Amino acid sequence: MAGGGEHLTSLADHPRAAPSIRRTKALGGLVGFGLAVLVGLQHGEPFAPMLLRALELGLAGNLVAWGAAVAVWKRVLAAQATTTVRQLQERRSAATATPETAE
């Protein structure tokens, strides 16, 4: 990628990756919080410690989901970049390999 106008897109600036990562983080936090509340209610835990534990597990779920989403999107963007480079190389090689038929 020697062209001056070409650049890599960060995950925060990518039009599909950024919203997807935000949704995944939110879902991970809600799932962690909900599971902690559900388990706490089933075991008859007092309300204040249950909510504190739920907040902790919600934060942990948020962080785990964020890490997983970033890892997945890095792989997706790397695969897209590799595919784009290969397609450009194929086009260039096809353009140089075609013989000129004008005589």
Side-chain angles (χ1 to χ4, degrees):
M1 298 172 119
E6 298 171 357
H7 67 282
L8 296 176
T9 302
S10 71
L11 291 176
D13 296 333
H14 194 272
R16 289 189 333 230
S20 174
I21 291 171
R22 283 193 299 268
R23 283 191 304 268
T24 303
K25 284 175 59 178
L27 184 62
L30 289 172
V31 166
F33 184 86
L35 285 175
V37 167
L38 184 65
V39 169
L41 288 174
Q42 287 179 347
H43 291 280
E45 189 174 355
F47 189 70
M50 177 187 63
L51 283 183
L52 181 61
R53 186 165 291 116
L55 287 173
E56 292 169 350
L57 288 177
L59 179 61
N62 177 288
L63 291 174
V64 168
W66 170 75
V70 166
V72 166
W73 273 103
K74 279 185 179 182
R75 296 293 301 253
V76 168
L77 293 183
Q80 287 177 348
T82 302
T83 302
T84 301
V85 168
R86 285 183 183 158
Q87 288 173 348
L88 288 174
Q89 288 173 344
E90 289 173 4
R91 286 184 200 151
R92 286 182 185 162
S93 65
T96 58
T98 53
E100 294 185 28
T101 57
E103 291 183 16

